Amino acid sequence: MDSDFSHAFQKELICVICLNYLVDPVTVCCGHSFCRPCLCLSWEEAQSPANCPACREPSQKQDFKTNILLKNLVTIARKASLWQFLSSEKQICGTHRETKKMFCDVEKSLLCLLCSNSQEHGTHKHYPIEGAAEEHREKLLKQMRILWKKIQENQRNLNEERRTAFLWRVDVVLRAQMIRNEYRKLHPVLHREEKQHLERLNKEYQEIFQQLQRSWVKMDQKSKHLKEMYQELMKMCHKPDVELLQDLGDIVARSESVLLYMPQPVNPELTARPITGLVDRLNRFRVEIALTWEVTSHNIRLFEDVRSLMLRRGSLNSDRSDYFAAWGTQVFFSGKHYWELDVDNSWDWALGVCKDSWIRKNGTMVTSKDIFLLLCVKLDNRFSLLTTSPMFPHYVEKPLGRVGVFLDFESGSVSFLNVTRSSLIWSYPAGSLNFPVRPFFYTGHR
């Protein structure tokens, strides 16, 4: 009866994924429990929502806390197994007829208490085996948690690097066409400059694309090494107490070395090359705009939405509680108009034009089709330039000083200029704009 009860008790503490005692047990929404490492690996490639490995019920939640009750029960079961092992005749000291309860870290062997204090072993490091295994298992689990965070971080960087490489190709193709279109509006004598401009653009594209390729290869290799180390630690955690102490070796030191030199994403950036006569041409349409300032902290979500989309996750709290929004007092609906705004060395700013109906909407989203904006957003100590309608990243250096906005109703386009560099940041394709708009400026700096 006792044997049947013990067997049934132990069966309830087994993970159905690895068929070992539960390690760092977690309980999913349906009530089934698994080793945290087993569940992490099982759900890593799973689509959302992930399914319970036991009953296949979907589970929306994936950030689980350790089931302390189950963890304590597993510890009791492990101790029972250990004492059953130590009570065998083989584990009785032949000299002193005492149970071998001490572990010698030098010889990786079990000793009785008297042997561990003998002259032969007196200089060696010893542990009471009952607590030593559990203590080392906890160290391994702590290291695994660190590893798993790095695995997830590296995978996010890898996915982002591949996405960046794709967008980089698209951006350069669109930018080359945009530059050709701009030179057509200027004097034919600039044909040689146009050719040099495009050649340098292509050279930069090739060099940075190769950097992106090398980067994602390094990240892919790092991902494999991290997972191999994680699985090795997990395998060690599942070993019986005595085997764990005997086989531990330098696994923690090796796992720490794997965490060194984590590859970082490439930050691709094209040089802002000048176009001769660009600013002079647009200055012919120069207008003075009047802006009405208003402090806003909630009704226009620009940078919160951008960061959320860039990070592929839910809404984020902004670093600032107050932003300054400014709308032009004049509505433009025809002709050509050019103005400049000073962004200084600031970040988290947006400028361009927007529809009146967009201004009046509460909780306005950056994905609205009623806005044509250039945004500068700071994320993880990096500055990113993006345009809306649709939202698209631009891999060109951040403008300092004045940014020009050119509104052309004849072609239905909006353009943004880096005035200091006399370079074109972005120009929307012809036909993009077909409704009246107001100038707009939005920043955390005033």
Side-chain angles (χ1 to χ4, degrees):
M1 183 71 177
D2 289 345
S3 177
D4 291 341
F5 175 80
S6 177
H7 180 72
F9 172 71
Q10 291 177 352
K11 186 179 179 181
E12 292 302 314
L13 303 177
I14 297 296
C15 172
V16 298
I17 299 177
C18 65
L19 303 179
N20 291 300
Y21 277 133
L22 291 162
V23 167
D24 197 9
V26 293
T27 303
V28 298
C29 301
C30 59
H32 290 108
S33 300
F34 310 92
C35 303
R36 185 192 297 273
C38 293
L39 194 64
C40 286
L41 291 172
S42 173
W43 280 2
E44 186 185 20
E45 303 297 333
Q47 295 182 349
S48 182
N51 296 324
C52 168
C55 68
R56 311 310 300 170
E57 182 177 321
S59 179
Q60 296 288 349
K61 183 180 177 183
Q62 296 196 23
D63 184 21
F64 300 102
K65 292 184 178 179
T66 301
N67 188 320
I68 302 297
L69 176 61
L70 271 180
K71 183 177 179 180
N72 292 339
L73 291 175
V74 170
T75 301
I76 293 170
R78 286 189 185 278
K79 285 182 179 179
S81 297
L82 174 63
W83 281 107
Q84 186 177 2
F85 171 78
L86 294 178
S87 63
S88 66
E89 182 63 29
K90 188 177 179 181
Q91 301 307 321
I92 301 298
C93 175
T95 305
H96 304 104
R97 301 306 299 170
E98 288 192 3
T99 303
K100 298 177 181 178
K101 299 179 182 179
M102 305 299 291
F103 180 75
C104 177
D105 197 39
V106 175
E107 297 185 359
K108 306 297 180 186
S109 61
L110 296 180
L111 303 170
C112 76
L113 183 59
L114 293 173
C115 286
S116 67
N117 290 326
S118 66
Q119 187 175 358
E120 181 182 355
H121 298 280
T123 58
H124 297 173
K125 194 171 183 178
H126 303 96
Y127 307 101
I129 191 170
E130 186 175 344
E134 205 59 38
E135 183 181 333
H136 282 290
R137 190 174 281 110
E138 283 301 315
K139 289 180 181 178
L140 294 175
L141 287 171
K142 182 180 179 181
Q143 193 65 15
M144 288 175 71
R145 292 187 194 104
I146 296 171
L147 261 175
W148 187 253
K149 286 182 181 179
K150 289 298 182 181
I151 289 171
Q152 300 301 98
E153 177 189 320
N154 186 73
Q155 188 60 49
R156 285 193 298 270
N157 288 342
L158 177 56
N159 293 340
E160 188 61 29
E161 206 75 327
R162 286 171 174 163
R163 177 177 175 272
T164 299
F166 170 76
L167 293 174
W168 172 255
R169 288 195 294 262
V170 175
D171 185 45
V172 171
V173 170
L174 294 175
R175 191 165 297 280
Q177 186 59 50
M178 179 184 72
I179 290 167
R180 291 189 189 97
N181 292 339
E182 196 58 41
Y183 272 104
R184 289 194 190 108
K185 302 170 188 175
L186 298 168
H187 199 283
V189 76
L190 296 174
H191 174 71
R192 183 176 179 182
E193 180 184 301
E194 176 188 358
K195 183 180 178 182
Q196 291 176 340
H197 197 138
L198 292 172
E199 285 174 350
R200 289 168 181 164
L201 174 67
N202 184 60
K203 184 179 179 182
E204 275 191 279
Y205 159 73
Q206 296 292 346
E207 290 173 349
I208 294 178
F209 187 70
Q210 288 175 8
Q211 290 178 31
L212 288 165
Q213 284 182 313
R214 288 193 295 269
S215 177
W216 85 52
V217 167
K218 288 179 182 177
M219 289 179 182
D220 194 44
Q221 291 174 341
K222 194 67 174 183
S223 180
K224 291 175 183 176
H225 294 155
L226 289 168
K227 285 180 184 177
E228 286 172 358
M229 192 72 247
Y230 187 82
Q231 289 169 337
E232 188 178 345
L233 288 168
M234 183 172 69
K235 186 178 178 181
M236 184 66 69
C237 282
H238 281 132
K239 289 188 175 186
D241 290 357
V242 176
E243 285 186 39
L244 184 150
L245 292 173
Q246 289 174 333
D247 299 341
L248 198 60
D250 63 346
I251 191 169
V252 173
R254 287 191 290 110
S255 68
E256 289 173 349
S257 67
V258 172
L259 292 171
L260 299 175
Y261 311 113
M262 293 292 295
Q264 296 302 308
V266 173
N267 186 18
E269 187 177 271
L270 289 166
T271 303
R273 300 191 184 281
I275 297 177
T276 301
L278 175 63
V279 176
D280 291 337
R281 181 178 73 84
L282 297 183
N283 267 327
R284 291 182 294 163
F285 309 104
R286 187 74 173 254
V287 293
E288 294 300 323
I289 60 169
L291 296 172
T292 302
W293 288 93
E294 177 184 317
V295 178
T296 178
S297 61
H298 64 279
N299 65 319
I300 299 180
R301 301 190 307 269
L302 281 180
F303 303 117
E304 295 89 339
D305 294 337
V306 169
R307 289 189 178 92
S308 298
L309 290 166
M310 290 174 74
L311 292 172
R312 302 293 191 271
R313 61 195 191 206
S315 62
L316 300 171
N317 293 324
S318 171
D319 292 338
R320 293 178 176 272
S321 58
D322 292 326
Y323 283 93
F324 296 94
W327 291 272
T329 56
Q330 182 179 356
V331 178
F332 295 109
F333 52 87
S334 64
K336 297 181 180 181
H337 314 276
Y338 175 72
W339 63 91
E340 295 176 358
L341 290 169
D342 197 343
V343 297
D344 195 22
N345 295 325
S346 61
W347 46 268
D348 270 13
W349 51 258
L351 55 82
V353 293
C354 62
K355 200 173 184 179
D356 263 356
S357 61
W358 181 82
I359 295 172
R360 290 191 292 268
K361 288 178 184 176
N362 195 37
T364 302
M365 297 288 287
V366 74
T367 51
S368 169
K369 295 179 181 179
D370 296 337
I371 55 174
F372 295 87
L373 301 178
L374 172 69
L375 300 98
C376 178
V377 182
K378 187 178 182 182
L379 186 67
D380 296 335
N381 296 317
R382 290 168 57 177
F383 296 100
S384 296
L385 291 180
L386 307 99
T387 50
T388 60
S389 298
M391 195 177 85
F392 190 79
H394 298 282
Y395 302 102
V396 65
E397 65 183 80
K398 172 179 175 284
L400 300 176
R402 303 182 74 79
V403 173
V405 181
F406 178 53
L407 189 58
D408 184 356
F409 276 98
E410 291 181 12
S411 65
S413 177
V414 181
S415 302
F416 301 105
L417 280 72
N418 182 334
V419 178
T420 304
R421 296 279 188 166
S422 186
S423 67
L424 191 59
I425 299 172
W426 177 244
S427 183
Y428 283 94
S432 298
L433 178 65
N434 57 10
F435 49 80
V437 292
R438 289 180 185 270
F440 179 75
F441 187 47
Y442 189 61
T443 183
H445 303 71
R446 188 181 180 186

